[in-house]
Amino acid sequence: MTVESVFPQLEALLPHVQKPIQYVGGELNSTVKPWDETEVRWALMYPDAYEVGLPNQGVMILYEVLNEREGVLAERTYSVWPDLEKLMREHSVPQFTVDAHRPVGAFDVLGVSFSTELGYTNLLTALELSGIPLESEDRTEDHPIVMAGGHAAFNPEPIADYLDVAVIGDGEQAVLEVSEIIRAWKREGRPGGRDELLLRLAKTGGVYVPRFYDVEYLPDGRISRTVPNRSGVPWRVSKHTVMDLDEWPYPKQPLVPLAETVHERMSVEIFRGCTRGCRFCQAGMITRPVRERSITGIGEMVDKGLKNTGFEEVGLLSLSSADHSEIGDVAKGLADRYEEDKVGLSLPSTRVDAFNIDLANELTRNGRRSGLTFAPEGGSERIRKVINKMVSEEDLTRTVATAYGNGWRQVKLYFMCGLPTETDEDVLQIGDMAVNVIAKGREVAGSNDIRCTVSIGGFVPKPHTPFQWAPQLSAEATDARLGKLRDKIRGDKKYGRSIGFRYHDGKPGIVEGLLSRGDRRVGAVIREVYERGGRFDGWREYFSYNLWMESAAKALPAYGVDVDWYTTRERTYEEVLPWDHLDSGLDKDWLWEDWQDALDETEVEDCRWTPCYDCGVCPQMDTEIQIGPTGKKLLPLSVVNK
Amino acid sequence: MQRIRLRYTKRGRLRFTSHRDFQRAFERALRRAEVPMAYSAGFTPHPKVSYANAAPTGTGSEAEYLEIALSDRRDPEALRTVLDASMPEGLDLVDAVEARTTEFTERLQASTWQLALDGVAPAAAEQAVRGFLAADSVEVQRQTKKGLRTFDARAAVASLDLGQESEPPGLDGTADAPCAILRLVVRHVTPAVRPDDVLSGLRVAADLAPPVPATVTRLAQGPLDEESGTVTDPFAPDRDAPSGAEALGTPSVASAPGGAA
């Protein structure tokens, strides 16, 4: 049975919406496989606008990995803006893929990648537009398996009722394993229906099926336990880890959109994982261990990627790119290679202590020397010990002074407000730091024409981190603290004009906090928000704090809990956390010890260069740190003139 | 430095490509195809590409024009083939000449447009066209960035008639959806009169209101032959000029980053 394109119906709506090009597909390097020649069909979704979703590396990688597999098809779908959503509802046009404009409801799997929790309402929009029942239990064999992945899937409980399955960790191998299970089940004639398929997936131990687990609560609202309700279903579900990045050189042919998107560059993930141990950082905790791509592997990906895309910029991505064991040779090798081609290099995440001026000079050799960005995260030495972001004020001042001395004119500094144990004084010291940076900068640059921008947002405690027990600072307290810092910076007669101040108010952080550490009961809030029109919560122009608070006030009292209970409440050692049955490899006792160390202002070293401190990941997941140096160099490519 | 003029299309679903989207896609295609581009001087050098008169987003086109400057000589047809292969299907490069004449943009005097009006019976369309053409002027309004503007849509229209391809309603009046296809030749004047404005004019002058948005396609762009009322090939003078008569000096196609049409 073939599936028709809905493009003719959609086409009639496109003249009436903003930026119609985002809905038509046709991107360079996109793939349309014949429907009837495939057995397992995936619709991959990034639950945000096309301009944000298209460059997402996770979706791009899985799209290629799946389409390379014989008999498997993958297409992409993104959230439609409310103008098109309204028209689609009026004209009964279903949620569609941009590749072949096939209706999402016709696929075997709808795989949704959640980088943040703020895409949850968009998931519900997509389900309803697809004609898929919102609640997992109402779906039949005719509906796709709705799967969540991405970092937010490490606590999928708030959307557990709307998902069929969640997969945590690296997706490359996991999606292929799931595909083979679906293929086998379909070939056998779908024995046991949807339930049997979900059971087969759950029994692998690497696919979480929320409906096979019951959550039991204590009278005070806390969870007493999360327990399997089927035999053969594991008590805990493991994350997936790809060990050799050189074996997975994806994306090989990155998608090149016609529409303008947030990142227009050839991105190469130079390593995965981070063991710096910053206690607030969920990404660093859940992606362990560190696995580097080799310098030669990086060189090949950049070469092929540029030829396949025509991009003018290469982004070397990771959680802390300057920490690659051969970053100097990588940067120099690439800068040499593309000197003639006007290809720029960027290193999006750079630590102050890993920065060196030679590296920065290589990165800017073929392009513009615009600004440098660092993230000290905390204003005082004390709070940086609490969060284990060990950057001394001297390090920072020296690094920034070197940058100003070498021709940079603009430095951006990122901070968080509301960190555990934080006081007004910790945050006000950010102002002193900025003043020191400007004073030193004026001295070395011999000019007053330099700037420093302080950018600061509220801290949200995340699951699977040492701060998962921490109380979140209320929106009011966050705003008051930020107001004091703003007044201090603006009030500085001598340096204030050279310091920019950008901050995000505390309200979105509270909603993010509710969703991050929420449990299944929070699902009712999400549904309420969705039904009252909540969409695109990551966008300032759509986000409504009041809508979330009103919806929570309606949905939560039945359970005897409220928003504060989920956000500003400190948890104890004994409390069963909603995500305890999802195994990120981190030992919960180690996380607790690290939380206690944080309160004692005790730091932990990076285990890449110092002995193991037993976070639990390597033995639990049977993985190990994989870093260079390989000692190899990037050779210049011979220039062929056509 | 060699200059090459290219004709390209915006077909099918890719008619929703905006001019800015096209520019980015084309400049990436130049890089993939390793075309030896001449670059502008300055702090951030840009490849020298000049675009003429881009069709509005959402309208298809068979006749868009641009000119590129090369640092090294290339055969125009070979270059066109390579670039065409590097562009997405629908944004097709269909013709190329070496620039051997100046004042190319001045030659783009008029456009031929096809307006497909789904759900409009040919007879009704024909009547509306007669009403429109009979008027000396037809005042229409359009929302621009500077606000609502009122101007005449009639004077710029060189011809407007019902195309042969129109589909009348089925004999019983219901079987097939009717579709009137109009063929419009409009002079490039200031302020520009776009096919949309002519459709507004049909509504103002003769009450024609299509039930669904018209599908609009530019078929040709070039010099207007006033006798026959047809638009001719703007590349003809380049083809007729002797080899070695390359246009030197400043580009003859105006750089128009906004691509207003």
Side-chain angles (χ1 to χ4, degrees):
Chain A
M1 181 192 70
T2 199
V3 166
E4 297 290 324
S5 164
V6 303
F7 193 72
Q9 296 95 288
L10 177 67
E11 192 172 21
L13 311 181
L14 292 182
H16 304 290
V17 303
Q18 293 289 313
K19 297 187 199 165
I21 187 68
Q22 66 186 309
Y23 304 116
V24 308
E27 300 91 347
L28 186 75
N29 299 328
S30 59
T31 305
V32 174
K33 286 177 120 176
W35 186 265
D36 295 328
E37 290 167 28
T38 53
E39 296 173 280
V40 181
R41 304 170 187 119
W42 291 70
L44 299 174
M45 176 171 198
Y46 192 88
D48 202 334
Y50 179 88
E51 64 194 75
V52 178
L54 182 116
N56 180 266
Q57 291 289 294
V59 171
M60 240 190 252
I61 289 169
L62 300 185
Y63 176 73
E64 258 186 63
V65 165
L66 287 165
N67 276 320
E68 278 184 10
R69 177 66 57 107
E70 182 73 34
V72 178
L73 166 160
E75 299 191 9
R76 295 160 295 124
T77 183
Y78 304 94
S79 294
V80 299
W81 285 111
D83 61 347
L84 181 58
E85 182 194 338
K86 182 169 175 284
L87 290 171
M88 285 165 68
R89 288 179 189 275
E90 282 170 18
H91 294 85
S92 303
V93 176
Q95 179 82 23
F96 55 87
T97 60
V98 296
D99 298 281
H101 294 93
R102 287 160 174 151
V104 166
F107 286 75
D108 295 308
V109 188
L110 170 59
V112 190
S113 176
F114 289 102
S115 303
T116 90
E117 298 81 2
L118 298 175
Y120 290 165
T121 51
N122 284 2
L123 167 71
L124 297 188
T125 311
L127 289 175
E128 195 163 83
L129 287 174
S130 301
I132 301 171
L134 295 187
E135 307 258 346
S136 166
E137 61 179 22
D138 297 331
R139 294 175 198 149
T140 70
E141 214 181 295
D142 297 330
H143 298 116
I145 298 289
V146 179
M147 173 188 287
H151 288 182
F154 277 79
N155 176 26
E157 292 300 89
I159 48 171
D161 290 344
Y162 315 121
L163 297 177
D164 298 303
V165 302
V167 170
I168 61 173
D170 301 335
E172 290 94 332
Q173 286 162 314
V175 292
L176 292 176
E177 284 165 29
V178 168
S179 296
E180 293 313 323
I181 290 169
I182 294 173
R183 187 185 335 233
W185 172 78
K186 285 177 85 172
R187 280 187 181 173
E188 289 166 35
R190 308 179 182 228
R194 189 180 185 85
D195 194 70
E196 164 80 15
L197 175 59
L198 292 174
L199 195 59
R200 286 188 189 187
L201 290 168
K203 282 180 174 172
T204 62
V207 179
Y208 173 53
V209 182
R211 68 161 74 165
F212 293 157
Y213 296 79
D214 292 329
V215 182
E216 296 166 7
Y217 299 95
L218 298 167
D220 66 4
R222 289 179 301 159
I223 294 170
S224 73
R225 60 176 195 161
T226 303
V227 53
N229 56 28
R230 292 291 185 98
S231 66
V233 172
W235 280 83
R236 300 189 78 201
V237 180
S238 296
K239 79 163 177 181
H240 297 257
T241 309
V242 163
M243 275 315 297
D244 186 352
L245 252 52
D246 283 329
E247 281 180 15
W248 298 90
Y250 297 90
K252 296 172 184 168
Q253 302 194 77
L255 295 162
V256 185
L258 282 163
E260 194 163 7
T261 61
V262 293
H263 295 301
E264 308 246 323
R265 63 186 176 204
M266 168 63 212
S267 296
V268 176
E269 189 182 18
I270 62 173
F271 65 88
R272 202 172 284 183
C274 181
T275 44
R276 285 283 190 166
C278 303
R279 293 176 173 127
F280 55 84
C281 179
Q282 187 191 39
M285 293 288 163
I286 62 179
T287 60
R288 295 171 173 211
V290 173
R291 291 143 289 153
E292 284 188 356
R293 196 183 296 284
S294 68
I295 179 170
T296 42
I298 294 167
E300 277 171 38
M301 279 187 73
V302 170
D303 179 41
K304 285 187 187 148
L306 287 177
K307 286 199 172 106
N308 285 329
T309 60
F311 283 138
E312 290 177 86
E313 187 188 341
V314 174
L316 302 174
L317 308 188
S318 75
L319 293 173
S320 174
S321 292
D323 284 343
H324 190 285
S325 63
E326 291 174 294
I327 190 64
D329 286 334
V330 169
K332 180 171 187 315
L334 292 176
D336 284 348
R337 206 189 248 185
Y338 300 109
E339 188 141 29
E340 297 296 305
D341 301 337
K342 302 176 177 65
V343 171
L345 288 178
S346 69
L347 214 59
S349 306
T350 316
R351 285 178 64 98
V352 173
D353 44 358
F355 177 86
N356 73 64
I357 204 71
D358 294 337
L359 177 59
N361 283 332
E362 290 300 340
L363 290 170
T364 53
R365 177 150 41 111
N366 301 349
R368 248 181 292 187
R369 178 166 297 192
S370 48
L372 285 172
T373 302
F374 297 108
E377 313 287 5
S380 69
E381 195 99 17
R382 189 197 72 78
I383 201 78
R384 290 195 298 274
K385 283 183 178 167
V386 170
I387 63 177
N388 203 43
K389 181 107 189 189
M390 279 327 300
V391 176
S392 69
E393 180 120 13
E394 298 81 79
D395 276 349
L396 179 83
T397 315
R398 188 179 337 105
T399 300
V400 172
T402 315
Y404 286 129
N406 279 270
W408 272 272
R409 287 290 169 265
Q410 161 89 355
V411 171
K412 267 191 222 162
L413 300 176
Y414 278 44
F415 296 92
M416 283 185 289
C417 175
L419 292 161
T421 77
E422 182 185 277
T423 63
D424 285 356
E425 186 46 36
D426 292 309
V427 169
L428 288 174
Q429 283 193 36
I430 293 170
D432 301 327
M433 188 190 270
V435 163
N436 290 342
V437 160
I438 291 291
K440 186 78 183 166
R442 286 183 184 174
E443 187 189 313
V444 296
S447 150
N448 282 0
D449 179 28
I450 54 165
R451 281 191 68 74
C452 170
T453 300
V454 168
S455 187
I456 182 165
F459 165 66
V460 179
K462 295 276 175 164
H464 304 279
T465 69
F467 290 165
Q468 63 185 357
W469 292 278
Q472 184 174 352
L473 192 64
S474 70
E476 297 73 28
T478 301
D479 291 345
R481 212 167 263 173
L482 290 174
K484 285 179 190 164
L485 174 60
R486 182 196 55 213
D487 294 345
K488 174 169 172 161
I489 290 176
R490 297 229 173 116
D492 190 307
K493 295 271 184 299
K494 195 165 174 201
Y495 299 105
R497 279 182 305 109
S498 299
I499 303 171
F501 184 61
R502 293 175 51 186
Y503 66 99
H504 305 285
D505 72 63
K507 286 174 174 172
I510 289 296
V511 172
E512 203 189 324
L514 170 70
L515 298 173
S516 289
R517 292 194 292 173
D519 53 35
R520 292 187 181 183
R521 295 170 293 193
V522 171
V525 183
I526 298 167
R527 175 119 187 209
E528 182 70 23
V529 168
Y530 167 70
E531 282 173 359
R532 291 163 167 232
R535 304 286 187 275
F536 287 93
D537 290 300
W539 294 74
R540 190 184 291 257
E541 53 272 54
Y542 287 96
F543 174 77
S544 165
Y545 180 72
N546 290 340
L547 178 60
W548 277 94
M549 291 308 114
E550 286 162 24
S551 301
K554 188 173 170 201
L556 293 179
Y559 305 114
V561 290
D562 58 18
V563 172
D564 287 346
W565 191 85
Y566 285 104
T567 54
T568 58
R569 179 179 65 96
E570 183 168 353
R571 279 71 161 168
T572 61
Y573 175 74
E574 296 77 25
E575 182 163 344
V576 174
L577 302 173
W579 51 91
D580 277 351
H581 55 298
L582 292 161
D583 188 3
S584 58
L586 295 157
D587 179 18
K588 194 175 176 187
D589 281 335
W590 176 79
L591 284 172
W592 179 263
E593 278 168 34
D594 205 39
W595 169 225
Q596 298 309 304
D597 282 349
L599 298 174
D600 294 340
E601 299 164 21
T602 306
E603 309 133 51
V604 177
E605 298 276 347
D606 189 324
C607 65
R608 252 176 299 194
W609 306 302
T610 59
C612 169
Y613 44 75
D614 291 325
C615 76
V617 172
C618 290
Q620 178 71 16
M621 296 289 143
D622 193 22
T623 53
E624 58 182 4
I625 290 175
Q626 301 232 322
I627 57 170
T630 62
K632 293 189 177 137
K633 301 274 185 263
L634 284 182
L635 300 173
L637 298 171
S638 57
V639 180
V640 182
N641 273 320
K642 277 185 188 166
Chain B
M1 190 159 59
Q2 184 191 24
R3 293 181 197 283
I4 306 243
R5 290 173 184 154
L6 291 151
R7 177 159 74 95
Y8 67 94
T9 68
K10 274 172 41 177
R11 289 173 174 154
R13 59 182 176 167
L14 292 198
R15 72 176 187 276
F16 293 106
T17 310
S18 74
H19 184 56
R20 272 169 56 86
D21 298 335
F22 178 85
Q23 285 179 306
R24 275 196 316 278
F26 183 69
E27 284 168 29
R28 280 176 191 150
L30 289 171
R31 296 176 72 89
R32 288 192 298 274
E34 297 179 29
V35 175
M37 292 299 295
Y39 278 82
S40 64
F43 195 53
T44 50
H46 284 288
K48 289 193 174 178
V49 187
S50 311
Y51 300 88
N53 226 9
T57 306
T59 61
S61 180
E62 292 295 315
E64 301 294 290
Y65 291 92
L66 61 80
E67 182 179 296
I68 59 177
L70 306 185
S71 60
D72 213 357
R73 293 191 67 82
R74 287 291 182 274
D75 171 59
E77 179 53 23
L79 180 81
R80 183 197 70 73
T81 312
V82 171
L83 273 175
D84 186 45
S86 192
M87 287 293 281
E89 202 180 318
L91 302 179
D92 303 322
L93 291 143
V94 290
D95 200 0
V97 291
E98 182 170 31
R100 291 175 180 162
T101 61
T102 54
E103 298 177 334
F104 179 73
T105 37
E106 284 76 359
R107 254 179 267 153
L108 302 180
Q109 294 169 343
S111 289
T112 306
W113 297 90
Q114 185 191 65
L115 315 168
L117 308 176
D118 253 331
V120 174
E126 195 158 24
Q127 197 183 346
V129 166
R130 271 201 301 274
F132 178 85
L133 292 176
D136 288 334
S137 80
V138 179
E139 295 273 293
V140 298
Q141 293 188 318
R142 192 205 307 159
Q143 195 66 41
T144 69
K145 278 173 190 155
K146 288 175 190 158
L148 199 63
R149 283 180 59 173
T150 306
F151 55 96
D152 174 29
R154 172 65 188 87
V157 174
S159 69
L160 176 62
D161 46 50
L162 196 67
Q164 297 297 316
E165 325 84 290
S166 298
E167 286 174 33
L171 285 179
D172 57 358
T174 56
D176 292 298
C179 180
I181 295 186
L182 302 183
R183 191 171 278 253
L184 165 71
V185 177
V186 63
R187 289 185 194 88
H188 296 170
V189 292
T190 313
V193 172
R194 307 195 300 197
D196 270 4
D197 302 322
V198 175
L199 287 168
S200 303
L202 287 170
R203 188 168 57 245
V204 171
D207 251 353
L208 184 74
V212 291
T215 308
V216 178
T217 311
R218 168 140 63 194
L219 301 178
Q221 211 185 154
L224 179 65
D225 183 65
E226 295 282 356
E227 296 247 313
S228 65
T230 55
V231 174
T232 61
D233 180 9
F235 283 170
D238 291 299
R239 273 193 263 271
D240 295 343
S243 174
E246 290 81 44
L248 296 172
T250 51
S252 56
V253 174
S255 265

